[in-house]
C-alpha cells in the first residue's frame, strides 16, 4: 500500500516542487523588456525594407498578419475634445512598456 502511495503521489510532489521553484525564480528574476529599437520584429522589418534576407518563423508570420489586420481596421474614436483616427502615440508607447 505504501509503495502504491509513493508511486502515485511522489511524482506529483516532485512536479509541484519544480513548479514552485520555477515560479519563485521568475518572481525574483523577472525578464527585462528590450528597448523598442532592439525589438527583433522591428529589426526584421527594417532588414526586409532594406532588401536583406531575414529568417522568419511561425511567430513572425502571425505577427505580420496581426499587423496587417490592425492597419486595415482603422477605428475612428470620438473624444470629448474631438475625433481621432487610431490610438494616440502616447497610448501605444504606454502599451509597449506594459506588455507582458
Amino acid at each position: 500500500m505504501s509503495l502504491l502511495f509513493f508511486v502515485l503521489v511522489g511524482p506529483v510532489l516532485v512536479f509541484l516542487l519544480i513548479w514552485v521553484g520555477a515560479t519563485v525564480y521568475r518572481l525574483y528574476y523577472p525578464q527585462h523588456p528590450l528597448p523598442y529599437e532592439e525589438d527583433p520584429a522591428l529589426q526584421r522589418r527594417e532588414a526586409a525594407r532594406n532588401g536583406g534576407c531575414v529568417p522568419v518563423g511561425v511567430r513572425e508570420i502571425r505577427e505580420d498578419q496581426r499587423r496587417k489586420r490592425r492597419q486595415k481596421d482603422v477605428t475612428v474614436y470620438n473624444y470629448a475634445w474631438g475625433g481621432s483616427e487610431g490610438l494616440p502615440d502616447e497610448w501605444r508607447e504606454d502599451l509597449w512598456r506594459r506588455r507582458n
Side-chain angles (χ1 to χ4, degrees):
M1 184 67 165
S2 64
L3 179 64
L4 181 64
F5 178 77
F6 285 122
V7 168
L8 293 177
V9 176
V12 173
L13 288 177
V14 169
F15 289 125
L16 182 65
L17 288 174
I18 292 172
W19 176 76
V20 167
T23 303
V24 168
Y25 178 79
R26 291 198 60 190
L27 286 173
Y28 281 109
Y29 303 105
Q31 294 178 347
H32 298 289
L34 292 174
Y36 184 72
E37 297 82 24
E38 294 180 20
D39 181 31
L42 182 65
Q43 291 175 350
R44 183 180 53 79
R45 274 180 276 180
E46 286 294 323
R49 190 177 303 133
N50 295 335
C53 295
V54 182
V56 295
V58 174
R59 182 178 296 165
E60 289 85 7
I61 293 170
R62 278 195 203 146
E63 182 179 321
D64 287 344
Q65 291 172 346
R66 285 186 191 130
R67 191 173 354 95
K68 284 180 184 176
R69 267 189 254 126
R70 266 194 315 253
Q71 290 172 352
K72 288 180 188 174
D73 189 27
V74 175
T75 306
V76 176
Y77 296 96
N78 293 317
Y79 300 110
W81 301 282
S84 175
E85 189 172 295
L87 292 174
D89 290 333
E90 295 84 21
W91 290 10
R92 288 186 197 277
E93 291 171 5
D94 187 48
L95 285 172
W96 179 258
R97 283 192 303 269
R98 295 174 185 234
R99 73 188 189 285
N100 289 333

